[in-house]
Amino acid sequence: MGYHPVTPFGRTVDAVLIQRQNQLQAASERMPAASSQLEPAKPVSKWNVLRDLAVARHHFGLSDRDLSVLQALLSFWSGTELPVDRALVIHPSNQTICDRLNGMANSTMRRYLARLVDAGLLLRRDSPNGKRYARRYGGEKVAYGFDLSPLRQRAREIEMAAEDVRAEEFRLKRLRETVSLMRRDLAGLAEFGLSLRPDLPLWDRLGDLAALSARALRRKLTLADLAQMEAQLRVALDEARDILDPMEPVDNSTDALIETPQLSTKAAKIEQHHQNSQKDSFESESEIGTQNLAEDSASPQIALAMKAPQPLTDTPCPTKVTASGYQTTTAPNAPESSSTSAHDMLPNMPLSVTLAACTSIQSYIDHPIRHWHDLVKAAHHIRPMMGISTSAWEEALSVMGPAEAAVVLASMLERFEEIKNPGGYLRHLSAKSANGTFSCGPMVMALLRKH
């Protein structure tokens, strides 16, 4: 058609309408020049544009009813693609459009059409008398109605807006899953801590926070709300872990490293002579410290402190036994802050809770598990017995970290008869951990409730 009208028939003209008409006309004029210099423009699938527009509808100020009307209009275009070399004018009557919309009222349909025009996704090509029709003059076809060219012109913009919305929804889903896992861990730790230390008011506060978080997760929360909840739950988990897993202070002095526990003179236990040429020195010191601590540990708090975790290190560390009988390790010239990689991070679940739920692993080793590195050694020992391949175990170590992988293996040992393929199950959990959708806390708390 030789001339494209700008003003609509029987309607007022505003600056926005004229601006959009001019932008579309300028883009149409630039397209042939651009296609001659670059790659030729490709046709656009009308249904892909509609799907992307449904995802990013709020970005363009549209509703689902607006898109229903647009879907009905797209159905009047015969092909599945919006070509570049043809005019994209459709000319259905109002009654035909309402029939495609399952009997929608005419006034309602016109209101949604106006919203699509205001959003810049449609253009009106009105005839001199305001009717919609198409005529042929020789080899040229002249059509008046609705122009779908803006959908083709803005297809890339719509696609990018949809990608941004999908990325935002993915981040929201991941953060919501993380908050849900942290809430379950906090509820379990509050219940377990109340059974160990009922005199502390901390557990009631943590239980209330877990209940309020569960109630808040029923609503549709924004990304900022979930980030705030995650920060609160992380602080609460650290408080619970500090109470359930008290860390013994490390003394780096030379006297403490060579300190020897005093021998008991009780008749019930003779300690003056212990000889075993097959044991190393640090194993003998560990047994002596265990015997002295067994005499003094009458309260659950001291028994819980025996299980206090120590950070994993990659280099050998000197071993000492303090006056109270605790065995600790110190790394020479260790930096004050360590990396937060998977190999250095400890699980949110305290070691004492893990050992209370996973009791079977203790029967496979000849010394008590007191630290995280003891649990990791025990997991290395029982891994071949469970039929787990070396590659599956190494994958779990690299993704979860040694401590959490050991907790998962100890939990699997408790339910070993129910697991048909331990290696495949461990690989499945490693994949979930790599995606950030797995925590060992629910596994341990489920076993603890059975006990």
Side-chain angles (χ1 to χ4, degrees):
M1 188 171 65
Y3 178 73
H4 293 281
V6 176
T7 59
F9 178 83
R11 298 179 182 87
T12 59
V13 181
D14 55 1
V16 177
L17 178 61
I18 297 178
Q19 182 181 4
R20 286 172 180 165
Q21 293 271 8
N22 294 333
Q23 289 176 354
L24 180 63
Q25 185 174 0
S28 301
E29 294 175 354
R30 287 196 304 267
M31 187 177 298
S35 60
S36 61
Q37 298 177 1
L38 304 175
E39 296 181 359
K42 298 180 180 179
V44 178
S45 173
K46 62 180 182 180
W47 302 124
N48 290 341
V49 175
L50 183 64
R51 278 191 288 268
D52 292 339
L53 195 58
V55 175
R57 61 184 181 275
H58 297 296
H59 177 75
F60 294 94
L62 301 176
S63 64
D64 52 345
R65 302 296 299 275
D66 299 328
L67 296 180
S68 298
V69 175
L70 180 60
Q71 181 178 6
L73 292 177
L74 288 175
S75 66
F76 290 103
W77 183 258
S78 57
T80 59
E81 294 181 342
L82 303 178
V84 181
D85 55 348
R86 292 174 56 188
L88 303 178
V89 180
I90 55 177
H91 42 83
S93 64
N94 288 349
Q95 186 60 41
T96 307
I97 298 174
C98 292
D99 292 341
R100 291 280 176 99
L101 292 171
N102 302 318
M104 179 182 289
N106 198 312
S107 58
T108 305
M109 183 271 298
R110 292 199 305 268
R111 186 169 63 250
Y112 292 137
L113 279 176
R115 289 171 57 89
L116 292 173
V117 173
D118 293 339
L121 301 176
L122 287 179
L123 284 179
R124 297 181 185 270
R125 300 295 187 190
D126 292 341
S127 64
N129 60 358
K131 303 295 183 179
R132 303 183 197 122
Y133 58 87
R135 289 180 180 176
R136 289 188 178 275
Y137 297 95
E140 183 182 2
K141 178 182 178 181
V142 178
Y144 297 98
F146 297 106
D147 193 350
L148 302 178
S149 299
L151 289 176
R152 183 186 62 194
Q153 300 290 342
R154 305 181 65 180
R156 181 57 182 166
E157 177 189 354
I158 296 172
E159 182 182 1
M160 294 178 62
E163 290 177 357
D164 294 340
V165 172
R166 292 189 183 101
E168 185 75 13
E169 291 177 350
F170 179 73
R171 289 194 297 269
L172 188 67
K173 181 180 178 181
R174 287 284 301 273
L175 187 56
R176 191 179 185 88
E177 291 175 350
T178 301
V179 170
S180 179
L181 292 174
M182 295 175 68
R183 183 208 62 81
R184 289 198 304 182
D185 289 350
L186 183 62
L189 291 179
E191 180 181 357
F192 181 74
L194 185 61
S195 63
L196 288 183
R197 298 287 303 276
D199 56 317
L200 294 179
L202 172 67
W203 311 120
D204 294 334
R205 180 169 61 84
L206 298 185
D208 293 341
L209 178 59
L212 292 176
S213 300
R215 186 181 306 173
L217 286 174
R218 300 174 187 173
R219 304 192 303 268
K220 187 175 181 180
L221 301 176
T222 62
L223 195 63
D225 296 334
L226 289 174
Q228 183 179 3
M229 288 182 59
E230 182 193 19
Q232 293 177 353
L233 291 174
R234 193 175 299 278
V235 172
L237 284 173
D238 292 340
E239 292 181 6
R241 184 175 178 179
D242 292 341
I243 297 297
L244 294 176
D245 267 344
M247 299 290 293
E248 180 69 16
V250 178
D251 188 3
N252 294 326
S253 61
T254 307
D255 296 338
L257 291 174
I258 62 176
E259 182 179 357
T260 304
Q262 297 180 357
L263 298 179
S264 173
T265 56
K266 292 183 179 180
K269 183 170 64 174
I270 303 175
E271 299 176 337
Q272 276 74 12
H273 181 68
H274 291 279
Q275 180 177 357
N276 189 345
S277 59
Q278 301 298 325
K279 292 185 177 181
D280 296 331
S281 60
F282 72 91
E283 293 179 352
S284 301
E285 291 178 353
S286 176
E287 291 181 0
I288 294 174
T290 305
Q291 293 169 357
N292 288 342
L293 184 60
E295 293 181 2
D296 300 331
S297 60
S299 63
Q301 290 79 5
I302 298 180
L304 183 64
M306 292 174 60
K307 304 171 186 177
Q310 295 294 336
L312 299 173
T313 55
D314 296 332
T315 57
C317 303
T319 305
K320 70 165 185 174
V321 179
T322 61
S324 59
Y326 296 100
Q327 181 181 1
T328 58
T329 58
T330 56
N333 300 326
E336 296 181 358
S337 61
S338 58
S339 175
T340 58
S341 62
H343 289 271
D344 298 329
M345 294 179 59
L346 296 178
N348 285 330
M349 184 62 56
L351 180 61
S352 57
V353 179
T354 302
L355 296 180
C358 307
T359 57
S360 301
I361 193 172
Q362 184 65 65
S363 59
Y364 288 88
I365 55 177
D366 55 355
H367 57 85
I369 298 177
R370 300 175 183 168
H371 309 288
W372 284 111
H373 59 81
D374 294 333
L375 183 63
V376 174
K377 290 181 181 178
H380 280 290
H381 179 67
I382 66 172
R383 189 268 308 168
M385 305 179 190
M386 298 176 64
I388 298 176
S389 62
T390 305
S391 60
W393 178 238
E394 290 178 351
E395 180 183 358
L397 291 176
S398 61
V399 174
M400 303 180 186
E404 186 167 5
V407 173
V408 171
L409 206 67
S411 303
M412 292 173 57
L413 183 62
E414 295 294 322
R415 301 174 51 247
F416 186 69
E417 296 180 356
E418 306 173 13
I419 302 176
K420 297 181 180 179
N421 186 0
Y425 183 58
L426 183 61
R427 289 185 185 274
H428 175 68
L429 296 181
S430 300
K432 293 182 64 177
S433 179
N435 295 331
T437 58
F438 173 74
S439 172
C440 63
M443 297 180 64
V444 177
M445 298 310 300
L447 293 173
L448 192 63
R449 282 191 292 269
K450 290 184 179 180
H451 291 303

